[in-house]
Amino acid sequence: GKEVELIQEMKDRKMEILGLSEVKRKGNGMRRLQDGYILRYSGVGMDSRAKEGVGIITNERIETKVSGWEPINSRIMVVDLDLEINLSLIQVYAPTDDSDILDKEEFYVQLQKVMDKVISKGRRVIISGDLNGRTGQDKRMALGCMGKHGGERTPNENGRRVIEFCIGNQLLIGNSFFPHKQNHIRGRGIRRQERDRLFLISSGYTQ
């Protein structure tokens, strides 16, 4: 099935951890996959229609570094890794740009709460997933959080929210600091433009 394909993709690309968005699983939990890989997921309630959902797959080596995890809701989850540094990976699936504004605001309020909790523990942060945002290429507006390899020229509302969140939390938009192909393979073998798939890294940069 799709999970077998994902594990093979991880092996082929020598990936030890993989974040998933829109996994469409109900509830939350852990599932042991083939060859020692572990899937953690956070989805909608059991009485809801399967939609949204986030997940993180780890291989055997990274699994030994997992010190905890927390399913927040169907759009946010956290996995704590004790590596050379203490790192928390926040996997997200943001509402689309045309979603109700209250849904988008609720998402960022909850994400900020998670961010504050992680930072209060002295952990570094990577936020990955589908933020459904086009951040544009205006580095001046980004105030240091974006590199020269931004996405499409014209940002959307979600992209502006991403930039505001990065500025407020001293995060770097990781994708924008290196060149990349226009398209890449996303989980479940679906091709999607890079513009929506972002990862944000805690940096401690100064404006």
Side-chain angles (χ1 to χ4, degrees), residues 103-169:
D103 291 339
K104 293 192 281 188
E105 290 178 352
E106 180 182 354
F107 169 79
Y108 276 99
V109 166
Q110 186 63 63
L111 183 57
Q112 187 63 60
K113 289 180 180 179
V114 173
M115 183 78 180
D116 291 343
K117 181 178 179 180
V118 170
I119 294 299
S120 72
K121 298 178 181 179
R123 305 184 69 86
R124 301 301 292 270
V125 177
I126 293 178
I127 301 175
S128 70
D130 194 342
L131 284 157
N132 277 304
R134 304 176 193 174
T135 55
Q137 300 177 352
D138 189 347
K139 291 176 60 179
R140 295 169 300 174
M141 182 182 71
L143 299 180
C145 70
M146 186 164 64
K148 65 180 181 179
H149 299 286
E152 293 190 355
R153 291 185 180 276
T154 304
N156 62 6
E157 177 60 30
N158 272 3
R160 286 187 280 270
R161 287 176 182 268
V162 170
I163 291 173
E164 289 175 3
F165 186 83
C166 288
I167 293 172
N169 291 280

Side-chain angles (χ1 to χ4, degrees), residues 21-22 51-54 73-76 91-112 127-134 156-162 165 186 192 195-198:
S21 297
E22 203 174 1
K51 61 177 182 177
E52 301 165 2
V54 287
N73 54 36
S74 62
R75 294 190 179 276
I76 305 172
Q91 181 68 21
V92 302
Y93 176 49
T96 58
D97 199 51
D98 58 358
S99 295
D100 187 284
I101 189 171
L102 293 179
D103 291 339
K104 293 192 281 188
E105 290 178 352
E106 180 182 354
F107 169 79
Y108 276 99
V109 166
Q110 186 63 63
L111 183 57
Q112 187 63 60
I127 301 175
S128 70
D130 194 342
L131 284 157
N132 277 304
R134 304 176 193 174
N156 62 6
E157 177 60 30
N158 272 3
R160 286 187 280 270
R161 287 176 182 268
V162 170
F165 186 83
R186 190 173 85 152
R192 174 137 183 188
R195 65 194 183 198
D196 295 340
R197 294 279 293 180
L198 305 171

